[in-house]
Amino acid sequence: MFDHLIMPPRAGYAVITTNDFMVIVRDTGDIVSVLEDADAVLEHLSLTIPGGLRRKRVYVESAPSASDFYEVMHQSGDLLDIVMCSADQADYLQQHIASLEGGPGNG
């Protein structure tokens, strides 16, 4: 078994925000995409986020200021599926990120 604290996933990513409800991750474009290496990214997040990934939704922003998001479905950090978010959900996530980064809201 690999120690993912020492050996992080191959994908480059940045955690934009994490709270009791969700984690939003940005794909930085390093090596492979987050979606291609989602299993390792989830495992790494579950080990590095305090409290792990219990009951948290993980959303991936495919690129900075991208309009498309994916939800990485998991159970305690184990990958189950990857689904594209609806346009309404993506709009909400973009507004949430803009408010965190001090950008203008679209509301």
Side-chain angles (χ1 to χ4, degrees), residues 10-58:
R10 298 172 301 148
Y13 71 95
V15 176
I16 299 172
T17 185
T18 181
N19 58 37
D20 290 337
F21 175 66
M22 67 181 168
V23 178
I24 302 176
V25 172
R26 175 171 290 156
D27 190 329
T28 62
D30 296 332
I31 308 172
V32 299
S33 75
V34 170
L35 299 178
E36 289 176 57
D37 204 27
D39 197 32
V41 170
L42 283 173
E43 187 171 353
H44 195 252
L45 287 171
S46 69
L47 293 171
T48 57
I49 291 176
L53 285 175
R54 289 180 220 93
R55 298 183 188 160
K56 290 186 178 151
R57 295 179 181 264
V58 178

Side-chain angles (χ1 to χ4, degrees), residues 60-100:
V60 174
E61 181 188 31
S62 60
S65 303
S67 60
D68 56 330
F69 289 80
Y70 295 86
E71 183 174 353
V72 180
M73 312 290 277
H74 70 94
Q75 184 171 7
S76 300
D78 294 327
L79 180 64
L80 300 176
D81 198 6
I82 299 172
V83 295
M84 188 163 203
C85 293
S86 69
D88 288 342
Q89 194 173 18
D91 187 48
Y92 166 78
L93 293 169
Q94 279 183 308
Q95 289 180 27
H96 183 69
I97 290 168
S99 70
L100 290 171

